[in-house]
Amino acid sequence: MAMSEYVSNLSEDLAAIAGELSTARHDTVLLAAAISKAATRLVPAAEYVSVVVVTNGTIELTGAADDLAETCDSLQSDLGEGPSLHASVHGGTVVINDVSREKRWPRFIQAAAEVGVRAMMCVPFDAGENKSGSVNMYSSSAGVFTGQSREVGELFTAHAAVAFTAGRENEQLHQAVQGRDVIGQAKGMIMERFSVDADHAFGLLRKLSQDSNVKLSQIAQRVIETGADNAAPTPVPRRTSDSNGNNMDPDVHRQAG
């Protein structure tokens, strides 16, 4: 098949999988796995595929369509080296068509060969919010990633990156809406239990959040799960002073008297 014809079909395939990716738009891990699965169908020689997101040189998210690709991601994360990390951090597609001849990242290359990887291609993309990522394609055969594989892989990754970035934004929006709903429900429980208005109820949640250094939405969820009584601040015993100015607990003071 001519490259122009292949790219034409690829464009149609990418449009078709847009619906598939939309079903995972609120969960970037599922979205990354969906992208990986699509790449195994569309990119020549890509037997096993994963998507990783890297922040400050560390893999923070990975989604894979199979165990072997996930294993390779874990190896790179544990060893702190590998073509996926390199492509994500430094940019530029990395193609390794024979791991037995690759001299870079020796610990990862040896480990990858031991699990059956013979060739790989890692294509970087911008994940937004000062994050980067790569679509990683692995094969159990050497010499299979041709110029066509690279061109299609880069085209696929460019389209996938748009879907992934949109998915991250949808996930964040979804989480924000969920958090707002949880806070609203917790406020209502506190208002009913303690006969206070909305401002006082929110103030109590905010104080609990600040005092415990826990996110407001997590405090609200705790209130929903355990009851509004658990949102009441713990009373601090009042202290008084004896004739010498020493602080004493009120009960102790009464007994001393």
Side-chain angles (χ1 to χ4, degrees):
M1 181 184 296
M3 184 62 191
S4 59
E5 183 181 353
Y6 192 98
V7 170
S8 176
N9 292 338
L10 176 63
S11 298
E12 295 176 3
D13 289 336
L14 288 171
I17 67 171
E20 299 176 25
L21 300 183
S22 68
T23 62
R25 63 185 181 276
H26 297 323
D27 188 324
T28 49
V29 174
L30 292 179
L31 180 57
I35 290 171
S36 300
K37 186 176 180 179
T40 61
R41 302 199 312 264
L42 301 180
V43 181
E47 290 182 69
Y48 317 102
V49 183
S50 68
V51 175
V52 300
V53 173
V54 175
T55 302
N56 297 322
T58 301
I59 294 177
E60 71 162 37
L61 177 148
T62 179
D66 50 75
D67 292 340
L68 188 144
E70 186 174 0
T71 296
C72 288
D73 291 342
S74 297
L75 286 170
Q76 292 185 78
S77 180
D78 293 342
L79 296 172
E81 68 171 32
S84 173
L85 282 170
H86 182 87
S88 298
V89 174
H90 300 289
T93 299
V94 176
V95 179
I96 301 173
N97 256 321
D98 189 345
V99 297
S100 66
R101 299 185 178 184
E102 179 58 55
K103 303 302 181 184
R104 296 170 292 179
W105 319 295
R107 293 181 299 165
F108 167 73
I109 291 297
Q110 179 180 348
E114 289 174 354
V115 298
V117 173
R118 296 294 176 264
M120 61 190 76
M121 179 171 66
C122 303
V123 184
F125 66 89
D126 183 357
E129 299 181 337
N130 297 317
K131 303 176 189 295
S132 56
S134 66
V135 177
N136 311 308
M137 290 153 267
Y138 304 95
S139 175
S140 58
S141 300
V144 292
F145 288 115
T146 63
Q148 185 184 66
S149 296
R150 177 168 181 161
E151 188 169 351
V152 173
E154 291 176 343
L155 179 60
F156 172 84
T157 299
H159 282 75
V162 174
F164 187 81
T165 302
R168 287 184 68 92
E169 293 174 352
N170 281 327
E171 181 182 56
Q172 291 168 352
L173 178 61
H174 185 65
Q175 290 174 345
V177 170
Q178 282 188 319
R180 185 182 63 189
D181 290 345
V182 167
I183 292 170
Q185 186 176 346
K187 278 172 52 180
M189 292 175 65
I190 294 172
M191 291 167 64
E192 182 178 359
R193 176 65 182 84
F194 299 109
S195 300
V196 296
D197 61 22
D199 288 341
H200 281 84
F202 182 76
L204 176 56
L205 287 171
R206 184 171 56 189
K207 186 176 188 307
L208 288 170
S209 173
Q210 293 170 344
D211 290 348
S212 60
N213 196 30
V214 175
K215 290 182 178 180
L216 186 62
S217 59
Q218 293 176 334
I219 290 291
Q221 185 64 44
R222 187 181 304 169
V223 169
I224 293 171
E225 293 174 352
T226 63
D229 285 337
N230 290 289
T234 302
V236 179
R238 292 183 299 108
R239 303 187 69 83
T240 186
S241 302
D242 62 15
S243 58
N244 295 320
N246 297 317
N247 288 331
M248 297 179 63
D249 183 273
D251 292 335
V252 174
H253 183 67
R254 286 194 294 271
Q255 292 173 3

